[in-house]
Amino acid sequence: MSIHIVALGNEGDAFHQDNRPSGLIRTYLGRSPLVSGDESSLLLNATSTVARPVFTEYQASAFGNVKLVVHDCPVWDIFDSDWYTSRNLIGSADIIVIKYNVNDKFSFHEVKDNYIPVIKRALNSVPVIIAAVGTRQNEELPCTCPLCTSDRGSCVSTTEGIHLAKELGATYLELHSLDDFYIGKYFGGVLEYFMIQALNQKTSEKMKKRKMNSSFHGIRPPQLEQPEKMPVLKAEASHYNSDLNNLLFCCQCVDVVFYHPDLKEVIEAHKIVLCAVSHVFMLLFNVKSPTDIQDSSIIRTTQDLFAINRDTTFPGASQESSGNPPLRVIVKDALFCSCLSDILRFIYSGAFQWEELEEDIRKKLKDSGDVSNVIEKVKCILKTPGKINCLRNCKTYQARKPLWFYNTSLKFFLNKPMLADVVFEIQGTTVPAHRAILVARCEVMAAMFNGNYMEAKSVLIPVYGVSKETFLSFLEYLYTDSCCPAGIFQAMCLLICAEMYQVSRLQHICELFIITQLQSMPSRELASMNLDIVDLLKKAKFHHSDCLSTWLLHFIATNYLIFSQKPEFQDLSVEERSFVEKHRWPSNMYLKQLAEYRKYIHSRKCRCLVM
């Protein structure tokens, strides 16, 4: 059996280093009659201080056969240089001794500011002794001269030491000298008392362990193994911004064309995307009226930059489709019009890559004044009504999210007739939508609206096999790149809809939602819930949700004792039942061992201390 003591702090007098006696710990170990060990064996690591310089280590024998190990660290800088070793030694200490010299306030503050916070964090019912070493200089002299007053001011008072001891719950000792009385009887008596307490505690713990081991000399209780780790579902990265950005280049579902002041066509675009980021375009396309916006700067910007042309004699008007031709918009500002393709690419990418936009404009406009003028017009287009233009410094917006997330977003147009060019008929009700967004976000709908299908020319499109709530949640994902199902059943319906339209990321979101909901349920709720987990498994397999189906099989196996009692458990296929039985938790082997152990405990008529 051994006792581990950790000593921290410097008890040497900073002003009288030449006459300083041996250290507190070394003196005690050398003089105490209860500690055996010659001078050569006390300093164990005198030759190995380079290998571990943090603590000076002493070893001796106390009370005859008890190993005494002392680690002494007088300097904080050395203590802090090897934090891992220092922390481990403090954590394993049976007794901690904190020491300082009463004539050296620096050593006291080093203890108070550095060692004490570390000890507080690691302290766990370990006794602490605070030793104030030395006689205070000029303490007994009533002289009031500046020199004596300065000497007394540099001393650590008894009050300061007692306050520190109360803060730590420690025992406070004042050792005026390191003679036989103060070291052997005073300091040694307190230290040896705590050593005896530590020995008694260790002996008691050892007896408890021995008693526990002796009570199980027969059959050992079975060890319940951990269940198998559940499969990890990897989420698919979002491609929301790239989908909308690609819409500008694919030229599908175009409903607005911008023209140069000389009536030369510049670029095609989509009203829904432009209105999602700008109130200027909302005003231009009559989505909102000047009364709704109530911002003169936005109204003025709209009038100064754009004009709608509905002239039937417009060049090329006769070749336009008679169904629903794109709206013609004249850009009044020639400089702004020359950079319009870069500006629209900036808007379609989320309207937050300002440095790239400025660089593209500088390539076309050599004059810095023209560049600033065009940039200011872009800021005015993206301005929020009723607010001061917060886009003054473009560089501050480089790390922010695209404008879709904090300005008028596409969600504003979800299930709204504004700018809608297609209507879905579901369960006797209608849901308006926008072809441009559907084409950009869903490949199946892109093929449906641009191929040789009936839907390509029809405005009213029937939808079968999906409820209105599920389809609205599906559209919400297409418009906003997010969704929040109300529960597991709705998430499964949304997953089926996503599989129907081949939107793989939405499938992964629904899978993750279902898994998160099931994992958060306690065992009691799993046992009482009405949800048919086997039916959920079969739907996941039927709709090619391989990740979810694999996870559900593991989930059934991990909660075998719950699901095996449900009637739907019998609906598992032979292959599924074989998998569940193979990976079940707890295993059959453990249950057999547990039954044998219970039988053994019952036969001995003793109480099990584990179960």
Side-chain angles (χ1 to χ4, degrees), residues 16-283:
H16 304 84
Q17 292 288 338
D18 295 337
N19 301 323
R20 187 180 68 183
S22 298
L24 174 62
I25 299 299
R26 182 68 177 268
T27 304
Y28 168 76
L29 294 176
R31 295 184 181 181
S32 176
L34 297 178
V35 178
S36 59
D38 53 49
E39 287 290 314
S40 61
S41 65
L42 286 178
L43 187 58
L44 177 70
N45 65 338
T47 60
S48 61
T49 53
V50 177
R52 194 175 71 181
V54 179
F55 288 85
T56 301
E57 182 177 317
Y58 302 95
Q59 284 194 10
S61 296
F63 308 113
N65 60 347
V66 176
K67 183 179 180 182
L68 184 63
V69 181
V70 183
H71 289 92
D72 188 9
C73 179
V75 183
W76 166 257
D77 291 338
I78 299 177
F79 178 92
D80 195 39
S81 65
D82 190 349
W83 173 242
Y84 179 79
T85 302
S86 305
R87 183 188 61 183
N88 286 346
L89 286 176
I90 289 179
S92 62
D94 297 313
I95 303 170
I96 296 176
V97 178
I98 300 172
K99 45 197 173 62
Y100 62 87
N101 194 286
V102 295
N103 294 309
D104 185 6
K105 272 212 169 182
F106 176 80
S107 68
F108 174 79
H109 284 293
E110 186 174 62
V111 166
K112 181 179 179 181
D113 299 334
N114 296 329
Y115 289 112
I116 296 300
V118 175
I119 294 171
K120 279 184 177 179
R121 288 195 295 267
L123 202 60
N124 185 19
S125 302
V126 177
V128 180
I129 301 174
I130 295 181
V133 181
T135 303
R136 293 177 180 83
Q137 301 295 325
N138 299 329
E139 186 177 39
E140 70 285 351
L141 299 177
C143 179
T144 58
C145 72
L147 184 60
C148 294
T149 305
S150 174
D151 287 343
R152 286 197 298 272
S154 64
C155 298
V156 183
S157 66
T158 303
T159 305
E160 290 178 291
I162 293 174
H163 179 74
L164 183 63
K166 286 183 178 179
E167 181 182 346
L168 205 58
T171 301
Y172 176 75
L173 303 177
E174 284 201 354
L175 310 177
H176 296 301
S177 66
L178 301 183
D179 56 18
D180 290 336
F181 173 78
Y182 284 106
I183 291 296
K185 295 183 178 180
Y186 194 24
F187 173 77
V190 174
L191 183 62
E192 285 154 15
Y193 168 79
F194 286 131
M195 289 166 61
I196 294 171
Q197 293 291 98
L199 285 174
N200 289 339
Q201 184 178 353
K202 289 189 174 185
T203 303
S204 175
E205 291 175 355
K206 191 173 182 180
M207 291 297 294
K208 284 183 180 179
K209 288 183 179 179
R210 187 176 297 174
K211 188 175 180 180
M212 285 285 292
N213 292 333
S214 64
S215 64
F216 294 107
H217 57 82
I219 299 179
R220 302 286 298 174
Q223 298 295 318
L224 180 61
E225 72 280 6
Q226 292 295 320
E228 290 188 12
K229 289 185 177 180
M230 304 294 283
V232 178
L233 182 64
K234 295 182 179 180
E236 183 180 337
S238 172
H239 38 80
Y240 183 72
N241 292 333
S242 60
D243 286 345
L244 295 178
N245 195 24
N246 292 335
L247 185 62
L248 180 65
F249 301 102
C250 71
C251 299
Q252 294 179 347
C253 306
V254 170
D255 54 5
V256 59
V257 182
F258 290 94
Y259 287 86
H260 194 270
D262 61 4
L263 304 185
K264 179 182 178 182
E265 182 177 328
V266 178
I267 193 169
E268 299 174 326
H270 308 83
K271 296 178 186 178
I272 179 69
V273 177
L274 300 177
C275 291
V277 296
S278 172
H279 285 81
V280 168
F281 290 113
M282 279 190 170
L283 187 61

Side-chain angles (χ1 to χ4, degrees), residues 341-361:
S341 58
D342 298 315
I343 295 169
L344 289 184
R345 186 167 61 250
F346 164 76
I347 290 176
Y348 273 68
S349 64
F352 73 113
Q353 299 171 341
W354 286 96
E355 285 187 353
E356 293 183 14
L357 173 64
E358 191 170 353
E359 185 180 345
D360 292 338
I361 293 176

Side-chain angles (χ1 to χ4, degrees), residues 516-529:
T516 304
Q517 290 292 307
L518 290 174
Q519 278 183 328
S520 63
M521 288 185 182
S523 299
R524 185 176 298 178
E525 188 175 349
L526 283 175
S528 61
M529 71 175 183

